[in-house]
Coordinates of all heavy atoms in Angstrom, one line a residue:
M5 N 113.6 89.3 86.1 CA 112.9 89.1 84.8 C 111.7 90.0 84.8 O 111.0 90.2 85.8 CB 112.6 87.6 84.7 CG 111.3 87.1 84.4 SD 111.5 85.3 84.5 CE 111.6 84.9 86.2
S6 N 111.5 90.7 83.7 CA 110.4 91.6 83.7 C 109.1 90.7 83.5 O 109.2 89.6 83.1 CB 110.6 92.7 82.7 OG 110.2 92.2 81.4
T7 N 108.1 91.3 83.8 CA 106.8 90.7 83.5 C 106.3 91.1 82.1 O 106.6 92.2 81.6 CB 105.7 91.3 84.6 OG1 106.3 91.0 85.8 CG2 104.4 90.5 84.5
M8 N 105.6 90.2 81.5 CA 105.1 90.5 80.1 C 103.6 90.2 80.1 O 103.1 89.4 80.9 CB 105.8 89.6 79.1 CG 105.7 88.1 79.2 SD 106.5 87.1 78.0 CE 105.3 87.2 76.7
I9 N 102.9 90.8 79.1 CA 101.5 90.5 78.9 C 101.4 89.7 77.6 O 101.9 90.1 76.6 CB 100.8 91.8 78.7 CG1 100.8 92.6 80.1 CG2 99.3 91.6 78.3 CD1 100.2 94.0 80.0
T10 N 100.7 88.5 77.7 CA 100.6 87.7 76.6 C 99.4 88.1 75.7 O 98.6 89.0 76.0 CB 100.3 86.2 77.1 OG1 99.0 86.1 77.6 CG2 101.4 85.8 78.2
E11 N 99.3 87.4 74.6 CA 98.2 87.7 73.7 C 96.8 87.3 74.2 O 95.8 87.6 73.6 CB 98.5 87.0 72.3 CG 98.6 85.5 72.4 CD 99.0 84.8 71.2 OE1 99.6 85.4 70.3 OE2 98.7 83.6 71.0
E12 N 96.8 86.7 75.4 CA 95.5 86.4 76.0 C 94.8 87.6 76.5 O 93.6 87.6 76.9 CB 95.6 85.4 77.2 CG 96.4 84.1 76.9 CD 95.7 83.3 75.8 OE1 94.6 83.1 76.0 OE2 96.4 82.8 74.8
C13 N 95.5 88.7 76.6 CA 95.0 90.0 77.1 C 93.7 90.4 76.4 O 93.5 90.3 75.2 CB 96.0 91.1 76.9 SG 95.4 92.8 77.3
I14 N 92.7 90.7 77.3 CA 91.3 91.1 76.8 C 91.2 92.7 76.7 O 90.1 93.2 76.6 CB 90.2 90.5 77.5 CG1 90.3 90.8 79.0 CG2 90.2 89.0 77.3 CD1 89.1 90.4 79.9
N15 N 92.3 93.4 77.0 CA 92.3 94.9 76.9 C 91.3 95.5 77.9 O 90.7 96.5 77.6 CB 92.0 95.3 75.6 CG 93.2 95.0 74.6 OD1 94.3 95.3 74.8 ND2 92.9 94.3 73.4
C16 N 91.2 94.9 79.1 CA 90.3 95.5 80.0 C 90.9 96.8 80.7 O 90.1 97.6 81.2 CB 89.9 94.5 81.1 SG 91.3 94.1 82.2
G17 N 92.2 96.9 80.7 CA 92.8 98.0 81.3 C 93.0 98.2 82.8 O 93.5 99.1 83.3
V18 N 92.6 97.2 83.6 CA 92.6 97.3 85.0 C 94.1 97.3 85.5 O 94.4 97.8 86.6 CB 91.8 96.2 85.7 CG1 90.3 96.3 85.3 CG2 92.4 94.9 85.5
C19 N 95.0 96.7 84.8 CA 96.4 96.6 85.3 C 97.1 98.0 85.2 O 97.9 98.3 86.0 CB 97.2 95.6 84.5 SG 97.1 95.8 82.7
E20 N 96.7 98.8 84.2 CA 97.5 100.0 83.9 C 97.7 100.9 85.1 O 98.9 101.3 85.3 CB 96.9 100.7 82.7 CG 97.7 102.0 82.3 CD 97.1 102.7 81.1 OE1 96.0 102.3 80.7 OE2 97.7 103.5 80.6
P21 N 96.7 101.2 85.8 CA 96.9 102.2 87.0 C 97.6 101.5 88.2 O 98.0 102.2 89.1 CB 95.5 102.6 87.3 CG 94.6 101.6 86.8 CD 95.3 100.9 85.6
E22 N 97.7 100.2 88.1 CA 98.2 99.5 89.3 C 99.8 99.5 89.4 O 100.3 99.3 90.4 CB 97.7 98.0 89.4 CG 96.2 97.9 89.4 CD 95.6 98.6 90.7 OE1 96.3 98.6 91.7 OE2 94.5 99.1 90.5
C23 N 100.4 99.7 88.2 CA 101.8 99.6 88.1 C 102.5 100.8 88.8 O 102.3 101.9 88.5 CB 102.3 99.5 86.7 SG 104.1 99.5 86.5
P24 N 103.4 100.5 89.8 CA 104.0 101.6 90.4 C 105.0 102.4 89.6 O 105.5 103.5 89.9 CB 104.8 101.0 91.6 CG 105.0 99.6 91.2 CD 103.8 99.2 90.3
N25 N 105.4 101.8 88.5 CA 106.4 102.5 87.6 C 105.8 103.0 86.3 O 106.5 103.4 85.4 CB 107.5 101.4 87.2 CG 108.1 100.9 88.4 OD1 108.3 101.5 89.4 ND2 108.4 99.5 88.4
E26 N 104.5 103.0 86.2 CA 103.8 103.4 84.9 C 104.4 102.7 83.7 O 104.6 103.3 82.7 CB 103.8 104.9 84.8 CG 103.1 105.6 85.9 CD 103.0 107.1 85.8 OE1 103.4 107.6 84.7 OE2 102.5 107.7 86.7
A27 N 104.7 101.4 83.8 CA 105.3 100.6 82.8 C 104.3 100.1 81.8 O 104.7 99.6 80.7 CB 106.1 99.5 83.3
I28 N 103.0 100.1 82.1 CA 102.0 99.5 81.3 C 101.3 100.6 80.4 O 100.9 101.6 80.9 CB 100.9 98.8 82.2 CG1 101.7 97.7 83.0 CG2 99.8 98.2 81.3 CD1 100.8 97.0 84.0
S29 N 101.1 100.3 79.2 CA 100.4 101.1 78.3 C 99.6 100.3 77.3 O 99.8 99.0 77.1 CB 101.4 102.0 77.5 OG 102.3 101.2 76.7
E30 N 98.7 101.0 76.6 CA 97.9 100.2 75.5 C 98.7 100.2 74.3 O 99.2 101.1 73.8 CB 96.6 101.1 75.4 CG 95.6 100.3 74.6 CD 94.2 101.0 74.7 OE1 94.1 102.1 75.2 OE2 93.2 100.4 74.2
G31 N 98.9 98.9 73.8 CA 99.6 98.7 72.6 C 98.7 98.6 71.4 O 97.5 98.8 71.5
E32 N 99.2 98.1 70.3 CA 98.4 98.1 69.1 C 97.3 97.0 69.2 O 96.2 97.1 68.8 CB 99.3 97.8 67.9 CG 100.0 99.1 67.4 CD 100.8 98.9 66.2 OE1 100.5 97.9 65.4 OE2 101.7 99.7 65.9
E33 N 97.8 95.8 69.8 CA 96.9 94.7 69.9 C 96.4 94.5 71.3 O 95.2 94.1 71.6 CB 97.5 93.4 69.4 CG 98.1 93.6 68.0 CD 97.4 92.8 66.9 OE1 96.9 91.7 67.3 OE2 97.3 93.3 65.9
T34 N 97.3 94.6 72.2 CA 97.0 94.4 73.7 C 97.7 95.4 74.5 O 98.6 96.2 74.0 CB 97.4 93.0 74.1 OG1 98.8 92.9 74.0 CG2 96.8 91.9 73.3
F35 N 97.4 95.4 75.8 CA 98.2 96.2 76.7 C 99.6 95.6 76.7 O 99.8 94.5 76.4 CB 97.6 96.3 78.1 CG 96.5 97.3 78.2 CD1 95.3 97.2 77.5 CD2 96.8 98.5 78.9 CE1 94.3 98.1 77.5 CE2 95.7 99.4 79.0 CZ 94.5 99.3 78.3
Q36 N 100.6 96.5 77.0 CA 102.0 96.0 77.0 C 102.8 96.5 78.2 O 102.4 97.6 78.8 CB 102.6 96.4 75.7 CG 102.6 97.9 75.5 CD 103.1 98.2 74.0 OE1 103.1 97.4 73.2 NE2 103.3 99.6 73.8
I37 N 103.8 95.9 78.5 CA 104.7 96.4 79.6 C 106.0 96.7 79.0 O 106.7 95.9 78.3 CB 104.9 95.2 80.7 CG1 103.5 94.9 81.3 CG2 105.9 95.6 81.7 CD1 103.6 93.7 82.2
D38 N 106.6 97.9 79.4 CA 108.0 98.4 78.9 C 108.9 97.7 79.9 O 109.0 97.9 81.1 CB 108.0 99.8 79.1 CG 109.4 100.4 78.7 OD1 110.3 99.5 78.6 OD2 109.5 101.6 78.5
P39 N 109.7 96.7 79.4 CA 110.7 96.0 80.3 C 111.7 96.9 80.9 O 112.2 96.5 82.0 CB 111.3 95.0 79.3 CG 111.1 95.5 78.0 CD 109.8 96.3 78.0
E40 N 111.9 98.0 80.3 CA 113.0 99.0 80.9 C 112.3 99.7 82.2 O 113.1 100.3 82.9 CB 113.4 100.0 79.9 CG 114.1 99.4 78.7 CD 115.3 98.6 79.0 OE1 116.0 99.0 79.9 OE2 115.5 97.6 78.4
L41 N 111.0 99.6 82.3 CA 110.4 100.2 83.5 C 109.9 99.1 84.5 O 109.5 99.5 85.6 CB 109.2 101.1 83.0 CG 109.6 102.3 82.3 CD1 108.4 103.1 81.8 CD2 110.5 103.3 83.1
C42 N 109.8 97.9 84.1 CA 109.3 96.9 85.0 C 110.3 96.4 86.0 O 111.4 96.1 85.6 CB 108.9 95.6 84.1 SG 108.2 94.3 85.1
T43 N 109.9 96.4 87.2 CA 110.7 95.9 88.3 C 110.1 94.7 89.1 O 110.5 94.4 90.1 CB 111.0 97.0 89.3 OG1 109.8 97.5 89.9 CG2 111.7 98.2 88.7
E44 N 109.2 94.2 88.4 CA 108.4 93.0 89.1 C 107.9 93.5 90.4 O 107.7 92.7 91.3 CB 109.3 91.8 89.2 CG 109.7 91.3 87.9 CD 110.7 90.1 88.0 OE1 110.5 89.3 88.9 OE2 111.6 89.9 87.2
C45 N 107.7 94.8 90.5 CA 107.1 95.5 91.8 C 108.1 95.4 93.0 O 107.7 95.7 94.1 CB 105.8 95.0 92.1 SG 104.5 95.6 91.0
V46 N 109.3 94.9 92.7 CA 110.3 94.9 93.8 C 110.5 96.3 94.4 O 110.6 97.3 93.6 CB 111.7 94.4 93.3 CG1 112.8 94.6 94.3 CG2 111.5 92.8 93.1
G47 N 110.5 96.4 95.7 CA 110.6 97.7 96.3 C 109.3 98.3 96.8 O 109.3 99.1 97.6
F48 N 108.3 97.8 96.1 CA 107.0 98.3 96.4 C 105.9 97.2 96.9 O 105.2 97.4 98.0 CB 106.3 98.9 95.1 CG 106.9 100.2 94.7 CD1 108.0 100.2 93.8 CD2 106.5 101.4 95.3 CE1 108.5 101.4 93.4 CE2 107.1 102.6 94.9 CZ 108.1 102.6 93.9
H49 N 105.9 96.1 96.3 CA 104.9 95.1 96.6 C 105.4 93.7 96.6 O 106.5 93.4 96.1 CB 103.7 95.2 95.6 CG 103.2 96.5 95.4 ND1 102.3 97.1 96.4 CD2 103.2 97.5 94.4 CE1 101.9 98.3 96.0 NE2 102.4 98.5 94.8
D50 N 104.7 92.8 97.3 CA 105.1 91.4 97.4 C 104.8 90.5 96.2 O 105.1 89.4 96.1 CB 104.7 90.8 98.7 CG 103.2 90.7 98.7 OD1 102.5 91.2 97.8 OD2 102.7 90.0 99.6
E51 N 104.1 91.2 95.2 CA 103.8 90.4 94.0 C 103.6 91.5 92.9 O 103.2 92.6 93.2 CB 102.5 89.5 94.1 CG 101.3 90.2 94.4 CD 100.1 89.2 94.4 OE1 100.0 88.3 93.7 OE2 99.2 89.5 95.3
E52 N 103.6 91.1 91.7 CA 103.4 92.0 90.6 C 102.0 92.4 90.6 O 101.1 91.6 90.5 CB 103.7 91.3 89.3 CG 105.2 90.8 89.2 CD 105.3 89.3 89.6 OE1 104.7 88.9 90.6 OE2 106.1 88.6 89.0
Q53 N 101.7 93.7 90.7 CA 100.4 94.2 90.8 C 99.6 94.0 89.6 O 98.3 93.8 89.7 CB 100.4 95.7 91.2 CG 101.1 95.9 92.5 CD 100.3 95.2 93.7 OE1 99.3 95.6 94.1 NE2 100.9 94.1 94.1
C54 N 100.1 94.0 88.4 CA 99.4 93.7 87.2 C 98.9 92.2 87.3 O 97.7 92.0 87.0 CB 100.2 93.9 85.9 SG 101.8 93.0 85.9
A55 N 99.7 91.3 87.7 CA 99.3 89.9 87.8 C 98.2 89.8 88.8 O 97.4 88.9 88.7 CB 100.5 89.0 88.0
A56 N 98.3 90.5 89.9 CA 97.4 90.4 90.9 C 96.0 90.8 90.5 O 95.0 90.2 91.1 CB 97.8 91.2 92.2
V57 N 95.8 91.7 89.6 CA 94.5 92.2 89.2 C 94.0 91.6 87.9 O 92.8 91.7 87.6 CB 94.5 93.7 89.1 CG1 94.8 94.3 90.5 CG2 95.4 94.3 88.1
C58 N 94.9 91.1 87.1 CA 94.5 90.7 85.7 C 93.4 89.5 85.8 O 93.6 88.5 86.4 CB 95.7 90.1 85.0 SG 95.2 89.5 83.3
P59 N 92.2 89.7 85.2 CA 91.2 88.7 85.3 C 91.4 87.5 84.5 O 90.8 86.5 84.6 CB 90.0 89.5 84.7 CG 90.6 90.5 83.8 CD 91.8 90.9 84.4
V60 N 92.4 87.6 83.5 CA 92.6 86.4 82.7 C 94.1 85.8 82.9 O 94.5 85.0 82.1 CB 92.4 86.7 81.2 CG1 90.9 86.9 80.9 CG2 93.2 87.8 80.7
D61 N 94.7 86.3 83.9 CA 96.1 85.8 84.3 C 97.1 85.8 83.1 O 97.7 84.8 82.9 CB 96.0 84.3 84.9 CG 95.3 84.3 86.2 OD1 95.3 85.4 86.9 OD2 94.6 83.3 86.6
C62 N 97.1 86.9 82.4 CA 98.0 87.0 81.3 C 99.3 87.8 81.5 O 100.0 88.1 80.6 CB 97.3 87.3 80.0 SG 96.8 89.1 80.0
C63 N 99.5 88.2 82.7 CA 100.7 88.9 83.1 C 101.7 87.9 83.8 O 101.4 87.5 84.8 CB 100.4 90.1 84.2 SG 99.2 91.3 83.5
V64 N 102.6 87.6 83.0 CA 103.5 86.5 83.3 C 105.0 86.8 83.3 O 105.3 87.8 82.6 CB 103.2 85.2 82.5 CG1 101.8 84.8 82.7 CG2 103.6 85.5 81.0
P65 N 105.8 86.1 84.0 CA 107.3 86.4 83.9 C 107.8 86.1 82.5 O 107.4 85.2 81.8 CB 107.9 85.3 84.8 CG 106.8 85.0 85.8 CD 105.6 85.1 85.0
D66 N 108.6 87.1 81.9 CA 109.2 87.0 80.6 C 110.5 86.1 80.7 O 111.4 86.5 81.3 CB 109.5 88.3 80.1 CG 110.0 88.2 78.6 OD1 110.5 87.1 78.2 OD2 110.1 89.3 77.9
P67 N 110.4 84.8 80.2 CA 111.6 83.9 80.4 C 112.8 84.4 79.7 O 113.9 84.0 80.0 CB 111.1 82.6 79.8 CG 110.0 83.0 78.9 CD 109.3 84.2 79.4
N68 N 112.6 85.4 78.8 CA 113.8 85.9 78.0 C 114.4 87.1 78.7 O 115.4 87.7 78.2 CB 113.3 86.3 76.6 CG 112.9 85.1 75.8 OD1 113.6 84.0 75.9 ND2 111.9 85.2 75.1
R69 N 113.9 87.5 79.8 CA 114.5 88.7 80.6 C 114.5 88.4 82.0 O 113.8 88.9 82.9 CB 113.5 89.9 80.4 CG 113.5 90.5 79.0 CD 112.7 91.7 78.9 NE 112.8 92.3 77.6 CZ 113.6 93.3 77.2 NH1 114.4 93.8 78.1 NH2 113.6 93.8 76.0
R70 N 115.4 87.5 82.3 CA 115.7 87.1 83.7 C 116.5 88.1 84.4 O 117.6 88.5 83.9 CB 116.2 85.7 83.8 CG 115.3 84.6 83.3 CD 116.0 83.3 83.5 NE 115.2 82.2 82.9 CZ 114.0 81.7 83.4 NH1 113.7 82.1 84.6 NH2 113.4 80.8 82.8
E71 N 116.1 88.6 85.6 CA 116.9 89.6 86.3 C 116.8 89.2 87.8 O 115.8 88.7 88.3 CB 116.4 91.0 86.1 CG 116.6 91.4 84.7 CD 115.8 92.8 84.4 OE1 114.6 92.8 84.5 OE2 116.6 93.8 84.3
D72 N 117.8 89.5 88.6 CA 117.8 89.2 90.0 C 117.2 90.4 90.8 O 117.0 91.4 90.3 CB 119.1 88.7 90.5 CG 120.2 89.8 90.5 OD1 119.8 91.0 90.4 OD2 121.4 89.5 90.5
E73 N 116.9 90.1 92.1 CA 116.3 91.0 92.9 C 117.1 92.3 93.0 O 116.5 93.5 93.0 CB 116.1 90.4 94.3 CG 115.5 91.2 95.3 CD 115.5 90.6 96.7 OE1 116.5 90.2 97.2 OE2 114.4 90.5 97.4
A74 N 118.4 92.2 93.2 CA 119.3 93.3 93.3 C 119.1 94.3 92.1 O 119.1 95.5 92.2 CB 120.7 93.0 93.6
A75 N 119.1 93.7 90.9 CA 119.0 94.5 89.7 C 117.7 95.2 89.6 O 117.6 96.4 89.2 CB 119.2 93.6 88.5
L76 N 116.6 94.5 90.0 CA 115.3 95.1 90.0 C 115.2 96.2 90.9 O 114.5 97.3 90.7 CB 114.3 94.0 90.2 CG 114.2 92.9 89.1 CD1 113.4 91.8 89.5 CD2 113.6 93.5 87.8
L77 N 115.8 96.1 92.2 CA 115.7 97.1 93.2 C 116.4 98.4 92.6 O 116.0 99.5 92.8 CB 116.2 96.7 94.5 CG 116.2 97.7 95.6 CD1 114.7 98.1 96.0 CD2 116.9 97.3 96.8
E78 N 117.6 98.1 92.0 CA 118.4 99.3 91.5 C 117.6 100.0 90.4 O 117.6 101.2 90.3 CB 119.7 98.7 90.9 CG 120.8 98.5 92.0 CD 120.9 99.6 92.9 OE1 121.2 100.7 92.5 OE2 120.7 99.3 94.1
R79 N 116.8 99.2 89.6 CA 116.0 99.9 88.6 C 114.9 100.7 89.2 O 114.6 101.9 88.8 CB 115.4 98.9 87.6 CG 114.5 99.6 86.6 CD 114.0 98.6 85.6 NE 115.1 98.0 84.9 CZ 115.2 96.7 84.5 NH1 114.2 95.9 84.8 NH2 116.2 96.2 83.9
A80 N 114.3 100.2 90.3 CA 113.3 100.9 91.0 C 113.8 102.2 91.6 O 113.1 103.3 91.5 CB 112.6 100.0 92.1
K81 N 115.0 102.1 92.1 CA 115.6 103.3 92.7 C 115.9 104.4 91.6 O 115.8 105.6 91.8 CB 116.8 103.0 93.5 CG 116.5 102.3 94.7 CD 117.8 102.0 95.5 CE 117.4 101.3 96.9 NZ 118.6 101.1 97.7
A82 N 116.3 103.9 90.4 CA 116.7 104.8 89.4 C 115.4 105.4 88.8 O 115.4 106.6 88.5 CB 117.4 104.0 88.2
I83 N 114.3 104.7 88.8 CA 113.0 105.3 88.3 C 112.5 106.3 89.3 O 111.8 107.2 88.9 CB 112.0 104.1 88.1 CG1 112.5 103.2 86.9 CG2 110.6 104.7 87.7 CD1 111.7 101.9 86.7
H84 N 112.7 106.0 90.6 CA 112.1 106.8 91.7 C 113.2 107.4 92.5 O 113.3 107.0 93.7 CB 111.1 106.0 92.5 CG 110.0 105.3 91.7 ND1 108.9 106.0 91.4 CD2 109.9 104.1 91.3 CE1 108.1 105.2 90.7 NE2 108.7 104.0 90.6
P85 N 114.0 108.3 92.0 CA 115.1 108.8 92.9 C 114.7 109.5 94.1 O 115.3 109.5 95.1 CB 115.9 109.7 91.9 CG 114.9 110.0 90.8 CD 114.0 108.8 90.7
D86 N 113.5 110.0 94.0 CA 112.9 110.7 95.2 C 112.5 109.8 96.3 O 112.5 110.2 97.5 CB 111.7 111.6 94.8 CG 110.7 110.8 94.1 OD1 111.1 109.9 93.3 OD2 109.5 111.1 94.3
K87 N 112.3 108.5 96.0 CA 111.9 107.5 97.0 C 113.0 106.5 97.2 O 112.8 105.5 98.0 CB 110.7 106.8 96.5 CG 109.4 107.6 96.4 CD 108.2 106.7 96.0 CE 107.0 107.5 95.7 NZ 106.1 106.8 94.9
A88 N 114.2 106.7 96.7 CA 115.2 105.6 96.8 C 115.5 105.1 98.1 O 115.7 104.0 98.4 CB 116.5 106.2 96.0
A89 N 115.6 106.1 99.1 CA 115.9 105.7 100.4 C 114.8 104.8 101.1 O 115.1 104.1 102.1 CB 116.2 106.9 101.3
E90 N 113.6 104.9 100.6 CA 112.4 104.2 101.2 C 112.3 102.9 100.6 O 111.6 102.0 101.1 CB 111.2 105.0 101.0 CG 111.2 106.4 101.5 CD 110.1 107.3 100.9 OE1 109.0 106.8 100.6 OE2 110.3 108.5 100.8
L91 N 112.9 102.6 99.5 CA 112.7 101.4 98.8 C 113.6 100.2 99.3 O 114.8 100.3 99.1 CB 113.0 101.5 97.2 CG 112.0 102.5 96.5 CD1 112.4 102.6 95.1 CD2 110.6 102.0 96.7
T92 N 113.1 99.4 100.1 CA 113.8 98.4 100.8 C 113.3 97.0 100.4 O 112.2 96.9 99.8 CB 113.8 98.5 102.3 OG1 112.4 98.5 102.7 CG2 114.4 99.9 102.7
L93 N 114.0 96.0 100.8 CA 113.6 94.6 100.5 C 113.1 93.9 101.7 O 113.8 93.9 102.8 CB 114.8 93.8 100.0 CG 115.4 94.5 98.6 CD1 116.7 93.7 98.3 CD2 114.3 94.3 97.6
S94 N 111.9 93.4 101.6 CA 111.3 92.7 102.8 C 110.2 91.7 102.2 O 110.0 91.8 101.0 CB 110.6 93.7 103.7 OG 109.4 94.2 103.1
P95 N 109.7 90.9 103.1 CA 108.6 90.0 102.5 C 107.4 90.8 102.0 O 106.6 90.3 101.2 CB 108.2 89.2 103.8 CG 109.4 89.1 104.6 CD 110.1 90.5 104.4
Q96 N 107.3 92.1 102.4 CA 106.2 92.9 101.9 C 106.5 93.6 100.7 O 105.6 94.1 99.9 CB 105.8 93.9 103.0 CG 105.0 93.3 104.2 CD 106.0 92.6 105.1 OE1 107.1 93.1 105.4 NE2 105.6 91.4 105.6
T97 N 107.8 93.8 100.4 CA 108.2 94.6 99.2 C 109.0 93.9 98.2 O 109.6 94.5 97.3 CB 109.0 95.8 99.7 OG1 110.2 95.3 100.3 CG2 108.2 96.7 100.7
S98 N 109.1 92.5 98.2 CA 109.8 91.8 97.2 C 109.1 90.4 97.0 O 109.0 89.6 97.9 CB 111.3 91.6 97.5 OG 111.9 90.8 96.7
R99 N 108.8 90.1 95.8 CA 108.3 88.8 95.5 C 109.3 87.7 95.8 O 109.0 86.5 96.0 CB 107.8 88.7 94.1 CG 108.9 89.0 93.1 CD 108.4 88.8 91.6 NE 108.2 87.4 91.3 CZ 109.1 86.7 90.7 NH1 110.3 87.1 90.4 NH2 108.9 85.4 90.5
F100 N 110.6 88.1 95.8 CA 111.6 87.0 96.1 C 111.6 86.6 97.5 O 112.3 85.6 97.9 CB 113.0 87.7 95.7 CG 113.2 88.0 94.2 CD1 112.7 89.1 93.7 CD2 113.8 87.0 93.4 CE1 112.9 89.4 92.3 CE2 113.9 87.2 92.0 CZ 113.4 88.5 91.5
R101 N 111.1 87.5 98.4 CA 111.1 87.2 99.8 C 109.7 86.9 100.3 O 109.5 86.6 101.5 CB 111.7 88.4 100.6 CG 113.1 88.6 100.1 CD 113.6 89.9 100.8 NE 114.9 90.2 100.1 CZ 116.0 90.5 100.8 NH1 116.0 90.6 102.1 NH2 117.1 90.7 100.1
A102 N 108.7 87.0 99.5 CA 107.3 86.8 100.0 C 107.1 85.4 100.4 O 107.7 84.5 100.0 CB 106.3 87.1 98.8
A103 N 106.2 85.2 101.4 CA 106.0 83.9 102.0 C 105.3 83.0 101.0 O 104.5 83.5 100.2 CB 105.2 84.0 103.3
Ligands
LIG7 FE1 95.2 92.8 79.6 FE2 95.2 91.6 82.0 FE3 95.9 94.2 81.8 FE4 93.3 93.5 81.4 S1 94.5 93.3 83.4 S2 94.6 94.9 80.1 S3 93.5 91.5 80.5 S4 97.0 92.4 80.9

């Protein structure tokens, strides 16, 4: 499931540079996440980096876009073909395996 930014967003912008997929951009009303680029940070981090830094906790799972770990890893590899071999699943690189 991709992560989404709710209307609680205060447009601080701290999440934008944290996304490994450059999925976050400034929208008309709030910052927004492109679901086609969101991998819930699978392959890179053990939690969504936007959610980790958001001061108002408005980066949340989108219940309308549920995806499993395998699909998210495949997307990460497609977005980063140069790093595909390095993108693996572990407690450090997947929120699905994090302690
Ligand atoms: Fe909005 Fe949170 Fe991103 Fe700040 S960190 S721009 S409040 S989603």
Side-chain angles (χ1 to χ4, degrees):
M5 130 176 75
S6 83
T7 308
M8 60 178 280
I9 293 174
T10 72
E11 60 186 21
E12 308 296 313
C13 174
I14 56 172
N15 291 308
C16 70
V18 301
C19 56
E20 186 177 6
E22 301 300 326
C23 178
N25 304 323
E26 298 185 7
I28 301 174
S29 61
E30 194 166 3
E32 284 186 20
E33 308 251 322
T34 64
F35 276 69
Q36 60 192 12
I37 297 174
D38 181 346
E40 299 301 323
L41 292 175
C42 180
T43 60
E44 300 177 34
C45 289
V46 166
F48 288 95
H49 303 288
D50 63 353
E51 65 178 322
E52 301 92 322
Q53 296 301 284
C54 53
V57 299
C58 179
V60 294
D61 293 332
C62 69
C63 301
V64 298
D66 184 343
N68 295 319
R69 288 183 178 267
R70 294 186 186 280
E71 294 172 292
D72 63 19
E73 182 188 49
L76 293 165
L77 182 64
E78 282 311 302
R79 178 174 301 141
K81 289 182 175 182
I83 295 170
H84 303 278
D86 52 324
K87 294 185 190 159
E90 301 161 33
L91 297 177
T92 57
L93 298 172
S94 74
Q96 288 76 40
T97 62
S98 173
R99 58 177 286 269
F100 293 86
R101 299 172 190 230

